[in-house]
Amino acid sequence: MDTLLTSRSIGISDLRDAPARAFAQAEDEAIVVLNHNKPVGYILSNAMMARLLDQLSDRLIADRAAARLPSLHKARKITLYDL
């Protein structure tokens, strides 16, 4: 059985009949789209998508910083005047 990652759902036929209503119902959480009672996709609100992208960006930056941390001792100090 497939795991549903949200408690709200909509059938694909209902989505086809009234897509604007489905997006309006998304509000601030995800809606799973079901086809024959199996998840085929998710609808996200703009706010939720922005939060997810921010979190992904933060994680990417943190991973890059952690990877560069061992080479910190090789860095040289500069002043604003040097720039």
Side-chain angles (χ1 to χ4, degrees), residues 13-27:
S13 298
D14 294 333
L15 177 63
R16 191 178 308 121
D17 292 341
R21 184 177 33 174
F23 283 100
Q25 289 174 353
E27 294 175 356

Side-chain angles (χ1 to χ4, degrees), residues 3 7 12 15 23 25 62 64:
T3 302
S7 60
I12 200 156
L15 177 63
F23 283 100
Q25 289 174 353
R64 286 183 180 172

Side-chain angles (χ1 to χ4, degrees), residues 30-78:
I31 296 177
V32 63
V33 179
L34 301 173
N35 188 22
H36 299 290
N37 291 327
K38 293 187 180 185
V40 293
Y42 288 85
I43 296 174
L44 303 177
S45 68
N46 285 336
M48 185 174 206
M49 186 66 181
R51 279 196 319 272
L52 287 173
L53 290 176
D54 283 344
Q55 290 174 0
L56 184 60
S57 174
D58 291 347
R59 176 174 262 175
L60 179 63
I61 291 169
D63 289 347
R64 286 183 180 172
R68 292 179 181 170
L69 196 56
S71 65
L72 185 61
H73 69 280
K74 296 178 185 176
R76 61 186 175 102
K77 292 184 180 183
I78 60 170

